[in-house]
Amino acid sequence: MSELKITFLGTGSARPTPQRSVACVALSLGGEAVLFDCGEGAQLQATRAGFKPSRLHAVCITHFHGDHINGLPGFIGTMGLNGHRDRVALVSPRGLRRYLQVLRELSILHPAFPLDLHDAAQDVPFATDDWRIESFPLDHRLPCHGYLFREKDLPGRFDLEHAIALGIPRGPLFGKLQRGESVRLDDGRTISPEQVLGLPRRGRSVAYVTDTRPCSHLVEAVRGVDVLIHEATYTHEFADLANERGHSTAVQAAEVARDAGVGRLILTHVSTRYVRARPLLREAQAVFPNTVVARDLDVFDVPVHD
Amino acid sequence: MSELKITFLGTGSARPTPQRSVACVALSLGGEAVLFDCGEGAQLQATRAGFKPSRLHAVCITHFHGDHINGLPGFIGTMGLNGHRDRVALVSPRGLRRYLQVLRELSILHPAFPLDLHDAAQDVPFATDDWRIESFPLDHRLPCHGYLFREKDLPGRFDLEHAIALGIPRGPLFGKLQRGESVRLDDGRTISPEQVLGLPRRGRSVAYVTDTRPCSHLVEAVRGVDVLIHEATYTHEFADLANERGHSTAVQAAEVARDAGVGRLILTHVSTRYVRARPLLREAQAVFPNTVVARDLDVFDVPVHD
């Protein structure tokens, strides 16, 4: 089974600091990758993390505040310099076309590969053979979308012992059965995949939620995901400020995680006022224990379901 | 006399690396500052260098390749978050207005202070009471300008010993004389500033030249400057490649320094192919000995002329 990894390239908010670059999270499944947001410095953080965007399929921008998009021109430009020539999808609120057009006109960015623009409100799900990306609206100070990465369901585990007991010879027939095809043995018997495969396993899922106030549909949108990446710009003592600025507190993020029954909560988009993340972590864990606060260059594995 | 300091915030070319961020140089004179270029990561490098842009007067962009401008939206945005409200001049080739317009429309950047746009080909010199910025065309792959920072001539040194010998009482009269005003003593004598001041001293000057092929008028444009900051993307063995891409070699930069009789040459805009700068330095010093290759966060003082 392919590893599903989450790499935090930036975990800060508003402005980068030496400790926290601004918003950017890379998801990789096998060799394929998706980026959520692309704040300034994302390309350099990718270098530091050893994240190679050679098989980048999509960049999903939540909204057009600078700390979520200012790294995009450099990221795309450097991918081109590094020889990338494959199509990349850009999923975002409306307006990206105009931005790219001006960058092109001024020669700030001449992308070296085709960019497919997707309106986050209309042109998703965006899907490949192995996974898809859904979007849902958030409640910030301007149009903003959360994203959900959902792996397709995986075939059940192959029962090697039982396959051998059934007299199936080792070799290509095993592969066919694992891919869900029936096979015919030399002795005339037909073996169907159900005889040697366990139940299909639920694909893994990761939701990326920033920037937003708590909003009523959010719990449904992220229900049951394996990992919820959620902004926690402030501690709860600043709930009014958070609300005014269209952000969430760590407690509010944890409430979403709890109510939606997610597997794990990873907090990000931390205000520069927090040099240490402990106050955010403590208040979130009181509501939803399986919480961490991401640091720059942290990598998390999302295990396959049994 | 105010210190004139040059701080290298980025010394690389094309893409940032952990060793070299992309193009950005800060000049500060007293508390005032000017930025030359603003590549991605400039704001974070400014933090690392302890460079506070609170009295930033101007940002001069040489050209619109991404590695020279992609840090500008973040730099301006963060200055606003940090409370900057004073006017800043943006000197650049034509087109910046359109870029800023789109950033504003999409909410990527709402500058918190007024920006005065100056066309580098037409609206310079840009001057304050103490210094001015001139521009001159370079020869790159698109419109590109070099810049010259020129301090106004300084009054001559105050001859304290002679002033005391003349019977001028210590105190405010000294200041008046230093500012070029005549003063009348209690005994009826009038002292003119020439009696106690040396000859006016030539203001300091720094030229910033990147990206460019060698071009015929360059030597005249930077003649006699105290410090020439010049790109040296390649060593001379890649002269053909440099020429094709609109760049200079370290030897070519040194030839400009030598022919223009500058005080000191500082090389920057180093290709990522050079992990160590020694090859660039060695070939440049063979032509112009007073050369260094800038590293990120290097600070150089430009001494006052005697």
Side-chain angles (χ1 to χ4, degrees):
Chain A
M1 255 351 107
S2 294
E3 274 197 324
L4 175 58
K5 289 201 305 182
I6 306 170
T7 306
F8 283 82
L9 300 180
T11 61
S13 83
R15 72 202 97 182
T17 68
Q19 290 72 43
R20 293 189 186 274
S21 194
V22 280
C24 186
V25 173
L27 226 73
S28 54
L29 179 63
E32 301 186 353
V34 174
L35 221 58
F36 294 116
D37 282 332
C38 198
E40 183 175 356
Q43 60 166 315
L44 187 54
Q45 291 291 86
T47 302
R48 290 198 176 101
F51 170 76
K52 291 202 173 51
S54 53
R55 291 183 67 192
L56 187 70
H57 275 250
V59 181
C60 302
I61 303 291
T62 56
H63 65 296
F64 291 142
H65 278 154
D67 58 329
H68 293 253
I69 192 176
N70 280 335
L72 187 64
F75 204 96
I76 291 174
T78 292
M79 282 178 67
L81 290 174
N82 291 342
H84 189 97
R85 295 295 178 267
D86 296 337
R87 194 168 288 277
V88 170
L90 296 183
V91 187
S92 76
R94 292 186 69 164
L96 200 65
R97 192 175 304 279
R98 218 153 66 240
Y99 174 65
L100 292 172
Q101 180 62 30
V102 166
L103 296 183
R104 218 183 282 258
E105 278 171 28
L106 296 186
S107 287
I108 292 175
L109 174 66
H110 288 293
F113 46 88
L115 298 173
D116 286 339
L117 271 54
H118 297 251
D119 182 335
Q122 299 196 327
D123 308 332
V124 282
F126 167 85
T128 71
D129 288 344
D130 298 322
W131 46 265
R132 59 191 225 146
I133 289 171
E134 301 166 15
S135 78
F136 45 90
L138 297 176
D139 180 16
H140 193 41
R141 309 199 301 272
L142 73 179
C144 186
H145 298 268
Y147 292 100
L148 205 157
F149 176 95
R150 209 181 268 289
E151 185 186 27
K152 296 230 165 119
D153 286 346
L154 303 167
R157 287 193 195 278
F158 186 72
D159 188 339
L160 182 66
E161 217 166 283
H162 188 55
I164 291 169
L166 283 172
I168 308 169
R170 284 175 188 272
L173 296 186
F174 278 23
K176 282 193 174 174
L177 286 160
Q178 281 172 316
R179 286 193 299 275
E181 301 170 31
S182 294
V183 300
R184 199 185 168 86
L185 305 187
D186 286 347
D187 62 11
R189 279 182 300 151
T190 296
I191 309 288
S192 66
E194 298 74 41
Q195 292 180 260
V196 291
L197 293 182
L199 289 174
R201 286 167 294 168
R202 192 159 48 84
R204 292 161 285 184
S205 53
V206 177
Y208 179 73
V209 176
T210 187
D211 297 353
T212 193
R213 298 180 184 90
C215 52
S216 55
H217 61 278
L218 190 50
V219 168
E220 274 321 305
V222 304
R223 179 159 309 278
V225 296
D226 294 303
V227 177
L228 170 62
I229 302 167
H230 197 295
E231 73 135 295
T233 310
Y234 301 104
T235 44
H236 209 62
E237 62 183 313
F238 297 109
D240 288 346
L241 182 67
N243 184 61
E244 184 190 313
R245 298 193 181 168
H247 288 297
S248 297
T249 68
V251 164
Q252 289 165 341
E255 287 168 349
V256 175
R258 178 196 64 200
D259 297 347
V262 310
R264 181 177 203 181
L265 172 63
I266 306 179
L267 300 177
T268 187
H269 203 268
V270 173
S271 164
T272 53
R273 72 177 64 207
Y274 302 104
V275 177
R276 291 171 195 283
R278 189 162 294 277
L280 296 157
L281 184 65
R282 197 183 297 124
E283 70 175 42
Q285 285 183 332
V287 177
F288 187 80
N290 195 7
T291 300
V292 293
V293 180
R295 293 164 307 187
D296 277 22
L297 310 186
D298 271 352
V299 180
F300 298 89
D301 276 301
V302 187
V304 174
H305 292 282
D306 284 328
Chain B
M1 258 348 109
S2 294
E3 273 197 327
L4 175 58
K5 288 201 305 183
I6 307 170
T7 306
F8 283 82
L9 300 179
T11 60
S13 81
R15 73 203 95 182
T17 68
Q19 291 72 43
R20 294 188 184 275
S21 194
V22 281
C24 187
V25 173
L27 226 72
S28 54
L29 179 63
E32 302 186 351
V34 175
L35 221 58
F36 294 116
D37 282 332
C38 197
E40 183 175 356
Q43 60 166 315
L44 187 53
Q45 292 290 86
T47 302
R48 292 199 175 102
F51 170 78
K52 291 202 172 53
S54 53
R55 292 184 66 194
L56 188 70
H57 275 249
V59 181
C60 303
I61 303 291
T62 55
H63 66 296
F64 291 142
H65 278 154
D67 57 331
H68 294 254
I69 193 174
N70 281 335
L72 187 64
F75 204 97
I76 291 173
T78 292
M79 282 177 67
L81 290 173
N82 291 341
H84 189 96
R85 295 295 178 266
D86 295 336
R87 194 167 288 277
V88 170
L90 296 183
V91 188
S92 75
R94 293 186 69 164
L96 200 65
R97 191 174 305 278
R98 217 152 68 241
Y99 174 65
L100 292 171
Q101 181 61 31
V102 166
L103 296 182
R104 217 183 284 256
E105 278 171 28
L106 296 186
S107 286
I108 292 175
L109 174 66
H110 288 293
F113 46 88
L115 299 172
D116 286 339
L117 271 53
H118 296 252
D119 182 335
Q122 300 195 327
D123 308 333
V124 282
F126 167 84
T128 71
D129 288 345
D130 297 322
W131 45 265
R132 61 190 224 145
I133 288 170
E134 302 165 14
S135 78
F136 45 91
L138 297 177
D139 180 16
H140 193 40
R141 308 198 302 270
L142 74 179
C144 186
H145 298 269
Y147 293 100
L148 206 156
F149 176 94
R150 209 182 270 288
E151 185 186 26
K152 295 230 166 120
D153 285 347
L154 303 166
R157 287 192 194 278
F158 185 72
D159 188 339
L160 181 66
E161 216 166 282
H162 189 54
I164 291 168
L166 283 172
I168 310 169
R170 284 175 190 272
L173 296 186
F174 277 22
K176 282 193 172 175
L177 286 161
Q178 281 173 316
R179 287 193 297 276
E181 301 170 32
S182 294
V183 301
R184 201 184 166 87
L185 304 187
D186 287 345
D187 61 13
R189 279 181 301 149
T190 297
I191 307 288
S192 66
E194 297 75 39
Q195 292 179 262
V196 292
L197 293 183
L199 289 174
R201 286 167 295 168
R202 193 159 48 86
R204 291 160 287 184
S205 53
V206 177
Y208 179 73
V209 176
T210 190
D211 298 355
T212 194
R213 298 180 184 90
C215 51
S216 55
H217 61 277
L218 190 50
V219 168
E220 273 323 302
V222 304
R223 180 161 307 281
V225 296
D226 294 305
V227 177
L228 170 62
I229 302 166
H230 197 295
E231 73 136 293
T233 311
Y234 301 104
T235 44
H236 209 61
E237 62 183 314
F238 297 108
D240 288 346
L241 182 67
N243 184 61
E244 184 190 313
R245 298 193 181 168
H247 288 298
S248 296
T249 67
V251 164
Q252 289 164 342
E255 287 169 349
V256 174
R258 178 196 64 200
D259 296 347
V262 310
R264 182 178 203 180
L265 172 63
I266 306 179
L267 300 177
T268 188
H269 202 269
V270 173
S271 163
T272 52
R273 73 176 66 206
Y274 302 104
V275 177
R276 292 172 194 283
R278 189 163 295 276
L280 296 156
L281 184 64
R282 196 182 299 126
E283 71 175 43
Q285 284 184 332
V287 176
F288 187 80
N290 196 6
T291 301
V292 293
V293 180
R295 292 163 307 187
D296 277 23
L297 310 185
D298 272 352
V299 180
F300 298 89
D301 276 302
V302 187
V304 174
H305 292 281
D306 283 327

